[in-house]
């Protein structure tokens, strides 16, 4: 692989990250364990072969390479069933779902690189869970302002959440204001459901995203 | 009030698009599961599935469109239903049926045959649309181009590309033809709508208008079909053309253009934004349908609502009715007006839940 775009990122120690994982009390532990187990089962299989991410035509979301084989079974959508565990879907829950996604460039997680931050996540619930729409709004902070991988990171977060959250959630992902030189362009792509759907049918792109999500707990 | 007549769990994944045949009561669907399905629009028969079109596209089927019947042909024998499907695999498939209409409607299953696969676009096809007599098919893609294909509408044997229009700056989301003339509109990720006509002298197609105003991706547009209205009002020698568009910016807008009855050679069409429909949607609007029968406009989108608008005097629009959670908590991708076999007009929607819902407006 070529030289990383950001060779010297600032790294946050894992123990300093906000999480509910270590703070769980004995009473709720079994429930948490159950959830983690389920969430774990949603994670993608480890990478089969490594790909050079430089070959991807980002930020166009989808490369022009034709996909000949159907999407692999492991990518079938698995959604957290409507259950009591849903009460846990707050900002911290969203953070825990996405914080352990790997950066496509560094052997570090998005939380360690402060690309995702708890205070930049906002969850809004509807009154009636069966009929009302809920929203997750996430602002991501690219490590450097010209980071060409911002779209890929955003796509990884979206794929992770679309697979884990119930369908009533509308996921909106934006680049934090002033942290990227082509904010609007990246924002538009990340929130275009059709482009995202098409990107998720691209096997090469999916392989990269699988690698990013393989570290998810 | 909008009431549900029938909900069909048509697909295991997102249902992207629906199309209804203009004269034969058939409905077609398109889905991420790479298939299309055909249903009979019959309450008495409870909307049976009569065909499944599969094993053709390698990726999502994004759009379906029935070919309009040939104008002025009395015998249905010459004019069997046909369908175009556009896919993320960058190809268009053309499907035809080999039975007379009476057979189509009486038999429990219809045999649809793959008649052609059209290649040309570089990547995902987002929409396909036939002109009023079925002699032209338009397609659009993320490759920023609109292609116009010419065919013999009776045989559908060959599709020759007669124009590639590359005026848009980005991904093109939708194409639609005027219901009675060869005027084409395309909606784009570049926030504009473009209009195209054929030059009468050199036969070349070119962009004759740009509609600026939306502040986000334009997902869909539809022309008004005021054919009946015009027949009863022939004193006017100017015909008004109107278009409604819907966008990521959560607005639905109406655009209009008066053109002289004799269209000037290569005249640039200047369109105006006539109105913005009263705001209801709280998320992007993905699809719009304009009823030829009632003149009402219906919109759907990410917020799961069906909104019906009605026009009053002085081109002022008001909300006729709103149906909340029309596909539960799921997004709605497509809406059309259609006629059932008893000639009653219904709305048909397709959602991320894979369902196709039929509504009494």
């Amino acid at each position: 692989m070529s030289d990383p775009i950001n060779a010297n990122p600032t790294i946050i120690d894992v123990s300093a990250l906000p999480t509910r994982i270590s703070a769980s009390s004995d009473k709720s532990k079994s429930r948490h364990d159950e959830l983690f187990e389920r969430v774990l089962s949603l994670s993608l299989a480890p990478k089969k072969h490594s790909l050079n991410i430089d070959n991807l035509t980002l930020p166009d979301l989808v490369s022009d390479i034709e996909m000949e084989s159907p999407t692999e079974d492991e990518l079938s959508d698995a959604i957290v069933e409507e259950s009591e565990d849903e009460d846990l879907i707050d900002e911290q829950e969203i953070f825990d779902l996405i914080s352990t996604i790997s950066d496509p460039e560094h052997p570090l997680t998005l939380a360690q690189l402060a690309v995702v931050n708890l205070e930049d996540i906002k969850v809004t619930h509807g009154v009636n869970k069966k009929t009302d729409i809920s929203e997750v709004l996430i602002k991501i902070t690219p490590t450097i302002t010209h980071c060409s991988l911002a779209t890929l990171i955003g796509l990884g977060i979206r794929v992770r959440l679309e697979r884990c959250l119930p369908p009533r959630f509308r996921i909106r992902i934006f680049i934090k204001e002033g942290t990227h030189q082509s904010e609007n362009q990246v924002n538009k792509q990340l929130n275009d459901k059709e482009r995202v759907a098409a990107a998720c049918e691209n096997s090469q792109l999916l392989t990269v995203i699988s690698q990013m999500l393989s570290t998810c707990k | 009030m909008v009431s549900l007549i029938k909900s069909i769990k048509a697909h295991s994944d997102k249902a992207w698009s629906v199309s209804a045949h203009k004269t034969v009561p058939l409905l077609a669907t398109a889905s991420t599961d790479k298939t299309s399905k055909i249903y009979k629009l019959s309450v008495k028969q409870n909307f049976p599935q009569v065909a499944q079109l599969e094993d053709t596209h390698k990726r999502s089927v994004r759009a379906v469109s029935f070919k309009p019947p040939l104008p002025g042909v009395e015998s249905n024998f010459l004019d069997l239903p046909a369908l175009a499907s556009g896919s993320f695999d960058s190809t268009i498939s053309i499907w035809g049926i080999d039975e007379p209409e009476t057979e189509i409607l009486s038999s429990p299953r219809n045999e649809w045959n793959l008649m052609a696969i059209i290649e040309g676009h570089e990547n995902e096809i987002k929409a396909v649309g036939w002109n009023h007599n079925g002699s032209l098919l338009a397609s659009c893609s993320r490759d920023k181009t609109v292609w116009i294909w010419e065919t013999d509408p009776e045989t559908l044997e060959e599709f020759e590309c007669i124009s590639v229009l590359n005026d848009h700056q980005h991904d093109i989301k939708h194409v639609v033809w005027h219901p009675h003339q060869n005027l084409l509109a395309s909606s784009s990720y570049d926030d504009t709508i473009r209009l195209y006509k054929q030059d009468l002298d050199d036969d070349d197609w070119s962009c004759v208008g740009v509609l600026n105003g939306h502040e986000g991706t334009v997902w869909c547009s539809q022309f008004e079909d005021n054919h009946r209205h015009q027949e009863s009002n022939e004193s006017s020698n100017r015909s008004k053309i109107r278009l409604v568009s819907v966008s990521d910016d959560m607005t639905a807008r109406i655009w209009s253009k008066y053109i002289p009855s004799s269209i000037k050679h290569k005249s640039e069409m200047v369109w105006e934004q006539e109105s913005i429909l009263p705001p209801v949607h709280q998320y992007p609007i993905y699809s719009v349908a304009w009823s030829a029968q009632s003149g009402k406009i219906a919109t759907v989108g990410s917020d799961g609502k069906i909104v019906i608008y009605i026009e009053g005097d002085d081109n002022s629009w008001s909300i006729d009715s709103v149906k909340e959670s029309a596909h539960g908590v799921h997004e709605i991708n497509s809406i059309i007006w259609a006629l059932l076999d008893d000639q009653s007009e219904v709305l048909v929607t397709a959602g991320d839940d894979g369902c196709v819902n039929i509504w009494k407006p």
Side-chain angles (χ1 to χ4, degrees), chain B residues 94-266:
Chain B
I94 304 291
W95 301 80
I97 192 163
D98 225 354
E99 302 160 52
E101 187 177 332
T102 48
E103 295 271 315
I104 295 170
L105 295 177
S106 61
S107 75
R109 285 204 77 78
N110 296 161
E111 280 301 318
W112 284 79
N113 305 309
L114 180 62
M115 300 175 73
I117 292 199
I118 308 173
E119 295 176 338
H121 280 290
E122 278 177 35
N123 47 45
E124 298 97 79
I125 289 170
K126 304 297 180 70
V128 286
W130 299 88
N131 74 333
H132 59 97
N133 64 10
S135 64
L136 300 172
L137 179 72
S139 57
C140 64
S141 158
R142 186 170 63 84
D143 67 14
K144 306 174 192 172
T145 62
V146 172
W147 292 46
I148 298 174
W149 311 85
E150 192 172 47
T151 188
D152 176 344
E154 283 186 47
T155 61
L156 301 179
E157 266 172 358
E158 276 180 42
F159 286 81
E160 188 198 346
C161 177
I162 56 165
S163 188
V164 175
L165 301 157
N166 51 13
D167 301 271
H168 279 295
Q169 307 291 308
H170 284 290
D171 189 9
I172 304 167
K173 298 299 194 185
H174 188 255
V175 278
V176 66
W177 291 91
H178 188 278
H180 305 291
Q181 54 172 283
N182 284 337
L183 174 65
L184 179 70
S186 62
S187 308
S188 169
Y189 186 87
D190 68 12
D191 304 354
T192 70
I193 299 144
R194 284 180 177 270
L195 295 135
Y196 312 88
K197 274 184 91 74
Q198 191 171 25
D199 189 279
L200 295 175
D201 290 343
D202 61 12
D203 284 356
D204 278 350
W205 285 82
S206 60
C207 180
V208 293
V210 189
L211 311 188
N212 285 296
H214 279 297
E215 290 163 10
T217 297
V218 188
W219 284 103
C220 182
S221 73
Q222 294 291 335
F223 284 100
E224 177 181 26
D225 186 349
N226 57 0
H227 197 54
R228 289 176 197 190
H229 183 249
Q230 276 176 27
E231 278 172 356
S232 62
N233 187 17
E234 278 184 34
S235 58
S236 163
N237 63 350
R238 290 154 77 90
S239 65
K240 191 179 189 182
I241 300 176
R242 291 198 295 176
L243 182 86
V244 61
S245 60
V246 292
S247 162
D248 228 62
D249 71 9
M250 300 180 266
T251 66
R253 295 167 198 245
I254 293 181
W255 312 80
S256 64
K257 167 66 187 151
Y258 286 88
I259 48 165
S261 49
S262 58
I263 298 163
K264 266 194 227 158
H265 159 74
K266 268 217 162 175

Side-chain angles (χ1 to χ4, degrees), chain A residues 135 170 188 193-194 198 201, chain B residues 60 62 189 191 283 333:
Chain A
E135 182 179 290
R170 298 293 179 268
K188 197 165 186 173
K193 84 178 277 190
E194 190 180 53
E201 293 185 3
Chain B
S60 292
R62 175 64 182 90
Y189 186 87
D191 304 354
Y283 278 95
N333 298 312

